[in-house]
Amino acid sequence: METSNLILTEVKNQTGIITLNNPEKKNALTSAMLNQIILSLQDLEKEKVRAVIIRAEKGVNVWSAGHDIDELPLNGIDPLGQEKPLERALNAIQVFPAPVIAMVEGSVWGGACDMAITCDMVIGSPDCTFAITPAKIGVPYNASGILHFINRLGLSHAKEMFFTGAPIDSEAALHFGIVNHIVENDKIEEFTFKLAEKISHNSPLSINVIKEQFRILTNAHPITPNAFEHIESLRRKVYCSDDYKEGINSFKEKRRPDFKGK
Ligand code: LCV
């Protein structure tokens, strides 16, 4: 097993396994961890694995606490720009030539929720919960991320999750379409590895081209340059707002945010 200090990577029976490994920070998605995930996927592609499982250590209560809030810029830079490690990691998952399966125990927050639903399938334990949190922090989420949720959950469930920012439990996650299966904690590893093994016996070329078509078709939402510039100007106003700073500072100061709408 290859270990960079924030993730563990191994290959078993043509399945790559990436284990998030920063428990002190609740597996918060730091730039360093995200860059290691991107490099690990590149290595696993060279090994021609037939599937990848992204997981945390067995039995964690927090799968990932989401984007590292300490790394959110406060200087008027887009926190979720396409060049950012989180966006590059989400893209790396989407273009990986084999299915990427998120095996989730514990709670999933923010950008980690986006990462889980960007995976091709999610296997959750009964204690898994999912929350998309930009509204709680004052972050203007981006169009590509919102599209991931619309594609996976449909409009009404996606809106409920974004507007409340509240965690949903495993039963709701199954109902909303976030998870493919809910499996008991003591069986979830075997279930997920068997799923990966089933995939590994099929044609990798066929699966690769089918996955790429899923990606192209689900992202096929042409918008005009005006619409894109309109979105970006609205988002800029938010990540340059006092509320955005208040959301981040309130987390750091461990207090409830007091948003003023400006
Ligand atoms: C930095 C952290 C984090 C963290 N960053 O343990 O989707 S968006 O747009 O919102 C995007 C910007 C995004 O993903 O934002 C992040 C969204 N994540 C969250 O809202 C979850 C924030 N974390 C929590 O609510 C709690 O930490 C949970 C419930 C995950 C775990 O609670 P628990 O009581 O078990 P602590 O809160 O004590 O966390 C342990 C240490 O990890 C830090 C946290 O500040 C604490 O550090 P200290 O020991 O120095 O106090 N930490 C946790 N999450 N996302 N740092």
Side-chain angles (χ1 to χ4, degrees), residues 193-259:
F193 282 101
K194 278 211 169 94
L195 175 65
E197 192 182 355
K198 217 179 281 179
I199 291 167
S200 72
H201 295 320
N202 291 336
S203 158
L205 296 180
S206 168
I207 287 176
N208 178 4
V209 78
I210 291 168
K211 175 170 172 176
E212 179 60 359
Q213 290 174 78
F214 273 124
R215 185 185 71 81
I216 291 167
L217 292 169
T218 50
N219 289 343
H221 291 256
I223 63 173
T224 64
N226 279 351
F228 179 73
E229 282 154 17
H230 171 63
I231 289 173
E232 288 311 288
S233 70
L234 289 177
R235 295 188 60 249
R236 195 173 304 111
K237 285 196 185 86
V238 175
Y239 62 72
C240 291
S241 69
D242 294 343
D243 273 3
Y244 171 75
K245 294 183 182 64
E246 166 61 12
I248 294 170
N249 291 333
S250 63
F251 176 81
K252 291 179 179 175
E253 294 156 19
K254 299 190 188 299
R255 60 175 172 80
R256 179 183 287 274
D258 177 16
F259 294 124

Side-chain angles (χ1 to χ4, degrees), residues 25-26 65-69 109-111 133-134 137 139 141 251 254:
K25 213 163 183 181
K26 304 295 173 179
H67 196 294
D68 184 337
I69 295 173
W109 303 84
T133 47
I137 302 176
V139 170
Y141 219 65
F251 176 81
K254 299 190 188 299

Side-chain angles (χ1 to χ4, degrees), residues 38 75 95 104 138 148 164 168 190 199 202 219 221 223 234:
I38 293 163
N75 54 358
V95 301
V104 176
H148 297 153
T164 64
I168 62 161
E190 184 190 0
I199 291 167
N202 291 336
N219 289 343
H221 291 256
I223 63 173
L234 289 177

